[in-house]
């Protein structure tokens, strides 16, 4: 037999060059993330200055407050509002760069440490929900795939409805059912794992619907691929095909969508934290929005964006490790 | 969330979920149910008097908190108003807000998408960065920050919802334009000697923008859900008016005693959103079937 | 042949739910131990469904029936039976066509092969690992330890096909079913994979080879069964059957292969000769005659010293074209042949003015062409047409055939001829019924689509047509009809073709002169017969040596 001269393709070996390329890719992503944070901060800063209304009013507790002229002037100096706009901007950016978000208008405390304590609570809630939704969707898809029409229809019907349910309504239903009628769980979030059950369920269920739809489709696609025929022709059993081959392909979009899913959970957390009276970024943001506590709004927005960006980058890294094809497409 | 669903569906490789087999799309039960629900909601929105004879704002304190019965299908609220009538009359507000928000989102996305998909390198760079920044604040967070700046109210909350859906749409429109721009049939038109303007107008735009209608249909349901969330949080329609989110918001206070105040307006939202999704997918599958098989 | 054949298939039929005609219709054949039986036929003839039924893997919704299906005297189980799992992979191995996804793209190749050993042997994990490396080595994969850890996307087409074969033979099955095992591969790689399959057979493994390619058959198979419309129409020893085909489908398959049918002679199709009605006015015939006289002076298309580099993501650059010079004499065909990745497509794109060369000149009928910008090119475009491999994707999916042709007619017309000015005339010219104009290309067959593409290319009245792999995705008999059409159009309309293909047979049949391209360089140019009979360059010689031949 002749010696094969089939040339190895470009992406064949993990050389220092390819590793360097991955590092460069991560560096670009991080740089992009920093840019986005700066842009968010800048847009919020200028947008707030463009709208009518004096921030001093918000600090003093609304336009109706009857503060003396001296008090107003004092506040103006304290918050640096007497400086020219561009100076204020650079001062604000300089402070943001060292994570100094200033003082809350309403709470009169330093924003940074306050918001950080809220972040932890939101992270616990959202990450727990992500894990629950992820495995829920995977289990649902695997259980109802290849089982005949009825199971499939039930599965996709559940996914459709779950994906259409608003968080706030689902929360109310769960409270009516599990707290008020069955008395299994507390209606508001108490400390400890028991208090986490209802909020996590509320956040995770709609996401389960979304992820389930996506996973079901890629599972169906995977079943039609030649490698499944190859595997069967090797004598692999149905469950062997499912667990060794098809499962990975079904799970892939679940991984790639995790970044997006985390974002939707952050968004849902606003509602869920409010309903279950649970501390967190979402509830902080909502109350800050209602009273226009601008430093808090800015801090929460930036912190959420930062968290979201980190999770997105992490997801993409995992995605590239699990599925080598992603890199090829990205390098195109 | 629509952008994920629609983005996935509009990829040529993906298989549509809504339609199976070769049968006409109207033969699917899920599409028929969805159309029926939407017809009902549209009637409620345009001519609520056809479905209910009562006045949504008629207060009757003596009849407060009545459970669902033959007289009051969905029960009564804390002021004795008929919940069924209020759900019917709420359809108009909710639908209007959903459609308006989607229009705002799509309009903004169209500008960003065209800039990115057809514009110069610089245009693409700028539009991509703007979309990235908008994406950094997912969903309600962007809406809330916008409301923090512009103040609460029906109009701002509608614009806020539109704004938060825009980056998703913009990404789809851009990638759609890009893929059509590089399609072999566009190259074939160039080789025939057609002018650039004619190719853009005759081949690229019709091919790339046909999914917008589908996107809009898929998006309205989600926009209604988000708008009602803002209403529920007290940032949208103010409670005395009949709007599903606002009704749920005021019903929440009485969740211990009157479950029907929460259940029925919520059901209306879910039914509407799910129906729009089913319809949007069926439309998507049909356009793709026509275009590609 | 022994008394008990290894595999016996009697009266196998496969019906699909919605189809009236059976996909496989009462098929019977035997395979002896160590024998290679080829099942040939065009796509849709039922050969793949037959193969899959032998493994109990007929597609869902298929109803399989047979009077006997036995391996080494033992009946094969009913579809869906658990016992199949001890037969698949162990007694019968399957090798699919190379595709990125014939091996699981998310798993290392070694694991895929290991699966077979895990399921059918009692070897320990360590023994299995060693065996996987032996197998990879045996199928000719260099550096097995590295390759075993890679996933299918990281291997080249030839290596993937070898890995698939390794998985097929891992448990030492008595019978291997190979379904189009060389179809997606370049000729030289194809030749090596065929050698590998032959060597397996020499070791005593029986084989069923499913293919549409009679040339492949003649190289490997002992016996041939020809399938057409679900039925086996002819069976026989390979040599005899190819020399004296008895039935029409076999004759068609054979006759349509352009390998040795030289320039000018239409590929014979025993049935259905098609009438092509090009308006053969005396004017155009006269013009043809005068133009031929002028041919030597002004080439239709000329590339002089064209080079093109592409940057890669790793920072390095790929030299796609290196100092390429080509001359297409007016009224003739220049065949450009090379394997995938050799730079054919880049030449096509530069010739069509879709891309600009880094250096060198491109002249179209004597006019400067390569250095023009998009606006300056437009007035010249009607003189240069193109047809592509994938006709369907070259049509706007929203348009009907009529609108596609109207659109092309409105693009502008070259000065030289105005004979084809309506969609109807264009359809007549390419031998399509006028009724197809209301249809969308999606609903047409592959051959019809390519005819529409040719009609579109003719619309502006071009002098030169660039044919980029125009028949590569068509069945052989359709391929022959399209080639005949192109030939006839060339004679009637005095067209010049730059004909690009990886298929040496097609190139030989179509070309007056041939240019061979390898790794971005033209290695040899010359009159077709000289290139094929006395190739000078070693690369051309290796290409021609690898070319499977049916006759001779």
């Amino acid at each position: 037999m002749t010696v094969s001269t089939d040339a190895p393709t470009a992406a064949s070996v993990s050389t220092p060059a390819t590793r360097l390329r991955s590092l460069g890719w991560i560096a670009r992503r991080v740089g992009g993330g920093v840019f986005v944070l700066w842009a968010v901060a800048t847009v919020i800063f200028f947008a707030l200055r463009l709208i009518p209304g004096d921030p001093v009013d918000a600090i003093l507790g609304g336009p109706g407050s009857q503060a003396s002229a001296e008090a107003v002037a004092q506040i103006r100096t304290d918050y640096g509002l007497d400086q020219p706009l561009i100076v204020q901007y650079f001062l604000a950016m300089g402070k943001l760069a060292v994570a100094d978000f200033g003082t809350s208008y309403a709470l009169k405390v330093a924003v940074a440490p306050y918001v950080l304590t809220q972040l932890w609570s939101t992270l616990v809630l959202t990450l727990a929900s992500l894990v629950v939704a992820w495995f829920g969707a995977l289990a649902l898809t695997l259980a109802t795939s290849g089982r005949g029409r009825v199971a499939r229809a039930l599965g996709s019907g559940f996914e459709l409805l779950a994906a259409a349910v608003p968080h706030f309504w689902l929360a109310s239903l769960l409270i009516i059912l599990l707290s008020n009628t069955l008395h299994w769980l507390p209606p508001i979030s108490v400390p400890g794992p028991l208090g986490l059950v209802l909020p996590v369920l509320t956040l995770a269920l709609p996401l389960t619907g979304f992820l389930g739809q996506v996973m079901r489709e890629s599972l169906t696609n995977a079943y039609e691929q030649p490698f499944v025929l190859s595997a069967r022709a090797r004598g692999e059993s149905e469950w062997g095909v499912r667990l060794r081959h098809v499962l990975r392909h079904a799970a892939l979009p679940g991984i790639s969508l995790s970044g997006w899913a985390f974002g939707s959970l952050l968004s849902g957390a606003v509602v869920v934290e409010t309903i279950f009276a649970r501390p967190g970024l979402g509830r902080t943001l909502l109350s800050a929005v209602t009273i226009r506590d601008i430093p808090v709004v800015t801090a929460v927005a930036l912190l959420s964006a930062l968290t979201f960006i980190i999770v997105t980058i992490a997801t993409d890294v995992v995605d590239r490790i699990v599925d080598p094809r992603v890199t090829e497409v990205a390098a195109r | 969330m629509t952008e994920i669903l629609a983005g996935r569906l509009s990829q040529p490789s993906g298989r549509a979920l809504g339609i199976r087999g070769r049968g006409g799309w109207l033969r699917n039960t899920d599409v028929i149910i969805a159309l029926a629900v939407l017809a009902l909601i549209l009637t409620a929105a345009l001519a609520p008097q056809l479905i209910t004879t009562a006045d949504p704002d008629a207060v009757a304190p003596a009849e407060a908190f009545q459970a669902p019965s033959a007289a009051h299908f969905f029960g009564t609220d804390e002021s004795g108003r008929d919940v069924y009538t209020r759900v019917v009359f709420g359809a108009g507000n909710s639908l209007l807000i959903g459609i308006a928000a989607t229009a705002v989102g799509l309009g903004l996305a169209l500008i960003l998408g065209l800039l990115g998909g057809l514009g110069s390198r610089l245009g693409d760079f700028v539009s991509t960065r703007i979309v990235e920044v908008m994406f950094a604040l997912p969903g309600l967070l962007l809406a809330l920050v916008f409301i923090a700046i512009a103040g609460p109210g029906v109009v701002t909350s509608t614009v806020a919802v539109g704004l938060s859906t825009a980056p998703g749409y913009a990404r789809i429109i851009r990638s759609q334009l890009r893929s059509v721009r590089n399609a072999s049939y566009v190259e074939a038109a160039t080789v025939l000697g057609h002018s650039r303007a004619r190719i853009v107008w005759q081949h690229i735009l019709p091919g790339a923008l046909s999914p917008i209608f589908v996107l809009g249909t898929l998006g309205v349901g989600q926009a209604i859900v988000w708008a009602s969330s803002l209403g529920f949080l007290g940032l949208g329609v103010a409670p005395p008016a009949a709007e599903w989110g606002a009704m749920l918001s005021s019903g929440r206070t009485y969740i211990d005693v009157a479950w029907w105040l929460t259940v029925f307006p919520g059901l209306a939202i879910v039914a509407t959103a799910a129906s729009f999704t089913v319809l949007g997918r069926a439309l998507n599958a049909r356009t793709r079937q026509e275009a590609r098989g | 042949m022994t008394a008990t054949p290894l595999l016996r298939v009697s009266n196998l039929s496969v019906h699909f739910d919605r189809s009236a005609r059976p996909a496989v219709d009462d098929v019977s054949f035997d395979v002896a131990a160590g024998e290679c039986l080829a099942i040939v036929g065009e796509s849709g003839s039922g050969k793949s469904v037959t193969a899959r039924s032998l493994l109990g893997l007929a597609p869902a919704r298929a109803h399989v029936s047979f009077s006997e299906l036995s391996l080494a005297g033992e009946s094969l189980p009913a579809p869906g039976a658990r016992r199949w799992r001890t037969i698949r992979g162990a007694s019968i191995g399957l090798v699919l066509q190379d595709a990125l996804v014939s091996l699981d793209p998310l798993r290392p190749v070694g694991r895929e092969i290991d699966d077979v050993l895990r399921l059918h042997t009692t070897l320990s994990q360590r023994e299995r690992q060693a065996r996987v490396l032996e197998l990879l080595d045996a199928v000719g994969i260099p550096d097995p330890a590295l390759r075993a850890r890679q996933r299918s996307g990281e291997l080249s087409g030839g290596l993937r096909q070898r890995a698939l074969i390794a998985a097929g033979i891992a448990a030492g099955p008595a019978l291997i079913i190979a379904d189009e095992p060389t179809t997606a591969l370049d000729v030289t790689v194809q030749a090596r994979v065929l050698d590998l399959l032959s060597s397996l057979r020499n070791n005593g493994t029986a084989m069923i080879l499913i293919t549409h390619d009679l040339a492949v058959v003649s190289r490997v198979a002992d016996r041939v069964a020809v399938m057409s419309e679900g039925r086996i129409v002819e069976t026989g020893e390979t040599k005899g059957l190819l020399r004296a085909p008895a039935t029409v489908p076999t004759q068609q398959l054979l006759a349509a292969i352009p390998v040795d049918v030289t320039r000018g002679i239409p590929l014979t199709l025993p049935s259905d000769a098609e009438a092509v009605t090009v308006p053969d006015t005396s004017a155009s015939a006269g013009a043809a005659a005068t133009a031929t006289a002028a041919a030597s002076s002004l080439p239709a298309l000329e590339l002089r010293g064209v080079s093109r580099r592409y940057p890669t993501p790793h920072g390095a650059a790929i030299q796609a074209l290196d100092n390429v010079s080509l001359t297409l004499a007016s009224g003739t065909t220049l065949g450009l042949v090379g394997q995938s990745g050799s730079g054919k497509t880049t030449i096509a794109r530069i010739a069509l003015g879709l891309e600009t060369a880094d250096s060198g000149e491109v002249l179209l009928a004597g006019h400067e062409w390569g250095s023009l910008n998009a606006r300056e090119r437009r007035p010249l475009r009607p003189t240069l047409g193109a047809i592509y491999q994938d006709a369907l994707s070259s049509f706007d999916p929203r348009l009907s055939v009529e609108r596609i042709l109207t659109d092309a007619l409105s693009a502008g017309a070259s000065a030289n001829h105005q004979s084809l000015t309506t969609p109807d005339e264009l359809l007549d010219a390419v031998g399509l019924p006028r009724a197809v104009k209301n249809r969308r290309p999606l609903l047409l067959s592959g051959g019809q689509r390519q005819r529409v593409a040719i009609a579109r290319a003719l619309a502006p009245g071009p002098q030169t047509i660039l044919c980029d792999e125009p028949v590569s995705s068509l069945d052989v008999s359709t391929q022959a009809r399209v080639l005949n059409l192109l030939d006839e159009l060339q004679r009637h309309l005095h067209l010049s073709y730059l004909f690009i293909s990886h298929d040496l047979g097609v190139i030989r049949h179509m070309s007056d002169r041939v240019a061979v391209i390898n790794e971005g360089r033209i290695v040899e140019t010359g009159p077709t017969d000289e290139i094929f009979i006395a190739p000078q360059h070693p690369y051309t010689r290796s290409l021609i040596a690898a070319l499977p031949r049916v006759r001779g």
Side-chain angles (χ1 to χ4, degrees):
Chain A
M1 185 180 304
T2 49
V3 178
S4 170
T5 54
D6 297 340
T9 51
S12 58
V13 199
S14 170
T15 60
T18 57
R19 251 173 273 137
L20 205 66
R21 215 157 9 107
S22 304
L23 278 182
W25 174 79
I26 291 177
R28 273 200 307 282
R29 292 295 309 264
V30 171
V34 172
F35 164 80
V36 166
L37 288 177
W38 166 78
V40 169
T42 305
V43 168
I44 293 179
F45 179 88
F46 283 108
L48 285 172
R49 267 50 174 199
L50 284 178
I51 54 154
D54 193 334
V56 178
D57 288 340
I59 299 167
L60 289 168
S65 66
Q66 303 291 317
S68 66
E70 293 90 62
V72 170
Q74 182 60 44
I75 283 166
R76 236 175 249 290
T77 324
D78 286 353
Y79 286 85
L81 296 170
D82 51 350
Q83 310 270 359
L85 192 58
I86 195 74
V87 175
Q88 286 187 41
Y89 171 71
F90 280 109
L91 282 177
M93 289 301 126
K95 284 183 177 168
L96 288 185
V98 293
D100 176 0
F101 295 101
T103 312
S104 160
Y105 292 171
L107 304 168
K108 316 290 182 208
V109 295
V111 173
Y114 172 70
V115 172
L116 271 178
T117 57
Q118 308 291 316
L119 172 68
W120 174 244
S121 163
T122 299
L123 275 184
V124 170
L125 174 68
T126 46
L127 290 180
S129 306
L130 187 61
V131 172
V132 169
W134 215 88
F135 284 102
L138 204 57
L140 187 71
T141 319
L142 271 184
T144 56
S145 78
R147 288 286 169 107
R149 254 158 209 270
V150 180
R152 255 204 323 271
L154 277 180
S156 46
F158 167 79
E159 287 157 7
L160 176 71
L161 288 180
V165 166
H167 289 121
F168 62 97
W169 188 58
L170 182 59
S172 306
L173 284 192
L174 289 175
I175 291 175
I176 293 175
L177 191 71
L178 297 180
S179 303
N180 294 358
T181 312
L182 298 171
H183 303 289
W184 286 355
L185 293 162
I188 59 161
S189 186
V190 293
L194 204 62
L196 204 57
V197 175
L198 275 183
V200 165
L201 265 186
T202 308
L203 264 185
L205 262 176
L207 186 59
T208 310
F210 269 103
L211 290 180
Q213 288 173 342
V214 180
M215 287 182 184
R216 179 182 306 279
E217 190 186 338
S218 73
L219 187 90
T220 318
N221 281 341
Y223 265 117
E224 289 161 10
Q225 299 292 322
F227 65 78
V228 168
L229 182 67
S230 292
R232 290 206 173 113
R234 273 175 223 140
E236 192 72 85
S237 65
E238 251 338 279
W239 273 102
V241 167
R242 210 175 275 190
L243 294 178
R244 270 172 218 284
H245 297 277
V246 175
L247 178 65
R248 286 166 201 253
H249 291 261
L252 269 188
I255 297 173
S256 358
L257 284 183
S258 289
W260 163 84
F262 181 75
S264 84
L265 290 172
L266 275 182
S267 158
V270 176
V271 175
V272 170
E273 286 167 357
T274 308
I275 292 183
F276 293 104
R278 194 186 146 81
L281 282 185
R283 194 155 74 111
T284 309
L285 178 64
L286 181 66
S287 55
V289 164
T290 346
I291 54 173
R292 291 189 140 184
D293 191 344
I294 300 308
V296 176
V297 171
T298 311
V300 174
L302 285 177
L303 208 56
S304 317
L306 177 67
T307 322
F308 180 53
I309 288 167
I310 291 174
V311 171
T312 317
I313 295 179
T315 314
D316 289 354
V317 169
V318 174
D319 213 17
R320 285 160 74 100
I321 294 171
V322 180
D323 187 355
R325 293 170 298 179
V326 175
T327 327
E328 287 156 31
V329 173
R332 178 171 39 94
Chain B
M1 305 192 183
T2 319
E3 67 268 13
I4 289 298
L5 204 58
R8 182 172 54 85
L9 288 171
S10 61
Q11 282 162 8
S13 61
R15 225 180 56 141
L17 294 158
I19 267 194
R20 296 163 207 98
R22 284 167 286 176
W25 65 301
L26 271 179
R27 266 180 244 158
N28 290 292
T29 21
D30 45 356
V31 177
I32 296 172
I33 295 173
L35 281 176
V37 171
L38 290 181
L40 193 68
I41 288 165
L42 211 62
T43 317
L46 296 176
Q49 304 82 359
L50 289 180
I51 320 183
T52 175
T53 49
D55 177 353
D57 299 319
V59 180
E63 293 183 26
F65 295 128
Q66 289 198 2
S69 65
H72 302 284
F73 302 139
F74 294 174
T76 60
D77 69 3
E78 70 276 14
S79 316
R81 294 173 295 196
D82 181 45
V83 175
Y84 169 72
T85 308
R86 288 178 63 73
V87 168
V88 168
F89 274 86
N93 281 328
S94 297
L95 211 58
L96 187 68
I97 293 173
I99 291 172
T102 309
V104 169
L106 277 176
L108 193 63
L110 206 57
I111 298 170
L112 287 171
L114 284 173
L115 187 66
L118 290 181
S120 59
R121 253 162 190 272
L122 181 70
D124 186 30
F125 181 82
V126 170
S127 122
T128 312
R129 293 291 94 74
I130 293 178
V131 169
E132 252 171 37
V133 170
M134 291 174 81
F135 255 129
L137 289 172
L140 282 182
L141 295 185
L142 183 60
L144 282 180
V145 170
F146 179 76
I147 291 174
I149 294 166
V154 185
V155 176
T156 38
S157 76
T158 308
V159 174
V161 170
L163 203 62
S164 54
T165 56
Y169 295 140
R171 242 180 221 190
I172 296 173
I173 292 173
R174 174 182 177 274
S175 71
Q176 195 81 23
L177 281 166
R178 296 235 138 200
S179 74
V180 173
R181 199 165 89 160
N182 296 325
S184 346
Y185 66 83
V186 169
E187 281 197 348
T190 313
V191 168
L192 279 172
H194 284 305
S195 69
R196 180 77 191 152
R198 186 188 151 117
I199 291 172
V200 168
W201 193 248
Q202 290 260 322
H203 297 291
I204 299 183
L205 286 183
L209 299 186
S210 56
I212 281 201
F213 185 64
V214 174
L215 277 184
T217 315
L218 281 168
V220 169
Q222 210 58 49
I224 289 176
V225 169
W226 283 10
S228 65
S229 297
L230 288 178
F232 178 81
L233 294 174
L235 298 171
V237 177
E243 189 267 344
W244 296 335
M247 288 172 68
L248 280 162
S249 178
S250 51
R252 186 181 154 214
T253 325
Y254 311 104
I255 197 165
D256 296 337
V257 288
W259 54 267
W260 51 91
L261 294 183
T262 295
V263 169
F264 293 108
L267 267 182
I269 295 175
V270 173
T272 314
S275 301
F276 272 113
T277 309
V278 169
L279 187 68
R281 280 190 205 158
L283 283 173
N284 186 40
R286 198 173 69 134
T287 29
R288 277 231 320 278
Q289 227 169 20
E290 274 176 8
R292 303 238 160 250
Chain C
M1 211 178 288
T2 48
T4 333
L6 177 68
L7 176 78
R8 165 156 282 169
V9 178
S10 306
N11 313 102
L12 174 71
S13 292
V14 182
H15 289 260
F16 283 100
D17 273 352
R18 287 182 185 147
S19 164
R21 205 167 54 83
V24 176
D25 191 0
D26 197 24
V27 160
S28 305
F29 58 87
D30 291 347
V31 181
E35 186 193 32
C36 175
L37 171 75
I39 302 181
V40 291
E42 301 204 330
S43 50
S45 58
K47 52 191 196 308
S48 282
V49 179
T50 306
R52 266 150 229 202
S53 307
L54 301 182
L55 282 162
L57 288 173
R61 292 175 289 105
H63 305 289
V64 183
S65 62
F66 50 84
S67 59
E68 186 183 350
L69 206 60
S70 61
L71 188 73
E74 243 181 276
S75 282
L76 290 170
R82 271 180 86 81
R83 193 158 70 82
W84 269 118
R85 277 163 39 197
T86 61
I87 294 167
R88 294 177 194 149
S91 310
I92 308 180
L94 176 70
V95 177
L96 288 175
Q97 177 177 346
D98 164 57
L100 216 49
V101 284
S102 289
L103 289 164
D104 192 333
L106 297 183
R107 304 181 77 215
V109 171
R111 289 274 290 284
E112 294 274 283
I113 300 170
D114 180 67
D115 277 350
V116 187
L117 302 171
R118 180 178 49 77
L119 289 163
H120 300 296
T121 66
T122 53
L123 300 177
S124 72
Q125 195 179 352
R126 174 170 298 187
E127 290 165 330
R128 294 205 309 262
Q129 268 172 9
R131 181 80 187 114
V132 166
L133 298 188
E134 282 171 33
L135 281 163
L136 288 173
D137 191 47
V139 296
I141 292 183
D143 204 352
L146 168 71
R147 297 299 177 182
R149 288 197 308 271
Q150 293 184 329
R151 295 180 252 207
S152 71
E154 299 171 74
L155 303 183
S156 68
L159 290 185
R160 274 202 300 272
Q161 193 63 54
R162 285 163 194 271
L164 268 171
I165 293 174
I169 62 172
L175 173 69
I176 289 182
I177 300 175
D179 191 351
E180 302 276 7
T182 60
T183 298
L185 304 175
D186 279 333
V187 255
T188 48
V189 182
Q190 185 175 6
R192 288 199 292 270
V193 170
L194 287 177
D195 286 343
L196 170 62
L197 288 174
S198 301
S199 73
L200 291 176
R201 218 189 72 235
N202 296 338
N203 298 337
T205 312
M207 192 181 314
I208 296 179
L209 179 69
I210 312 280
T211 182
H212 68 282
D213 189 345
L214 282 178
V216 166
V217 169
S218 69
R219 200 164 175 132
V220 190
D222 300 309
R223 281 193 307 133
V224 182
V226 180
M227 280 191 84
S228 176
E229 302 190 337
R231 250 176 284 216
I232 291 190
V233 292
E234 190 171 359
T235 322
E237 300 287 314
T238 306
K239 274 201 183 126
L241 185 133
L242 293 184
R243 198 175 302 125
T247 58
V248 172
T250 319
Q251 288 161 3
Q252 279 187 336
L253 276 176
L254 263 177
I257 296 177
V259 175
D260 299 321
V261 183
T262 43
R263 184 90 182 103
I265 303 161
L267 298 165
T268 47
L269 298 162
S271 59
D272 62 16
E274 287 180 31
V276 175
T277 53
V278 180
D280 189 9
T281 56
S282 57
S284 73
T290 45
T292 316
S296 51
S297 57
L298 211 57
L301 181 72
E302 194 175 2
L303 272 69
R304 287 188 196 152
V306 168
S307 296
R308 182 81 169 96
R309 286 162 77 87
Y310 292 112
T312 65
H314 340 282
I318 293 172
Q319 185 83 36
L321 293 182
D322 187 3
N323 196 20
V324 165
S325 297
L326 289 174
T327 306
L328 168 59
S330 176
T332 69
T333 301
L334 173 66
L336 178 63
V337 67
Q339 306 205 0
S340 49
S342 59
K344 297 189 304 264
T345 309
T346 312
I347 290 186
R349 293 182 62 82
I350 287 176
L352 287 174
L354 293 169
E355 248 174 64
T356 309
D358 295 336
S359 62
E361 281 183 277
V362 185
L363 301 177
L364 184 62
H367 298 280
E368 180 57 47
W369 170 250
S371 61
L372 302 183
N373 65 32
R375 193 179 299 274
E376 293 163 340
R377 273 183 185 139
R378 278 191 57 213
L380 286 173
R381 285 211 179 270
T383 62
L384 176 64
I387 53 180
Y388 313 88
Q389 172 169 8
D390 183 3
L392 183 60
S393 74
S394 78
F395 301 130
D396 190 330
R398 296 169 309 110
L399 302 187
S400 66
V401 170
E402 182 171 24
R403 283 194 54 201
I404 287 168
L405 297 179
T406 322
D407 183 66
L409 286 164
S410 73
S414 71
N416 75 321
H417 94 104
Q418 271 93 36
S419 58
L420 303 170
T421 51
T422 66
D424 283 343
E425 284 172 17
L426 284 168
L427 290 174
D428 292 345
V430 297
L432 281 175
R434 292 185 176 190
V436 303
K437 70 182 174 188
N438 297 321
R439 292 211 240 153
R440 291 188 187 212
L442 182 67
L443 302 172
L444 303 178
S445 70
Q448 288 176 318
R449 284 173 193 163
Q450 202 53 277
R451 280 167 196 266
V452 174
I454 294 171
R456 176 179 61 179
L458 293 177
Q463 286 134 343
T464 307
I465 296 184
L466 187 142
C467 311
D468 188 2
E469 303 268 8
V471 294
S472 301
S473 48
L474 302 177
D475 270 336
V476 266
S477 57
T478 319
Q479 185 174 336
R481 291 196 188 96
V482 171
L483 292 179
N484 286 346
L485 170 69
L486 285 172
D487 236 357
E488 211 157 322
L489 289 170
Q490 180 169 44
R491 260 179 285 127
H492 287 295
L493 300 172
H494 186 65
L495 297 168
S496 318
Y497 292 148
L498 175 57
F499 198 100
I500 299 178
S501 179
H502 70 283
D503 187 329
L504 288 156
V506 171
I507 287 282
R508 180 170 196 186
H509 176 68
M510 292 300 290
S511 312
D512 297 300
R513 289 175 67 83
V514 174
V516 183
I517 185 169
N518 184 35
E519 291 177 357
R521 270 187 287 267
I522 302 287
V523 297
E524 190 166 359
T525 327
T528 307
D529 281 345
E530 271 178 35
I531 296 274
F532 276 82
I533 293 163
Q536 298 300 307
H537 194 277
Y539 177 74
T540 318
R541 269 185 242 149
S542 74
L543 269 189
I544 296 200
L547 181 64
R549 275 155 208 277
V550 179
R551 285 160 280 199

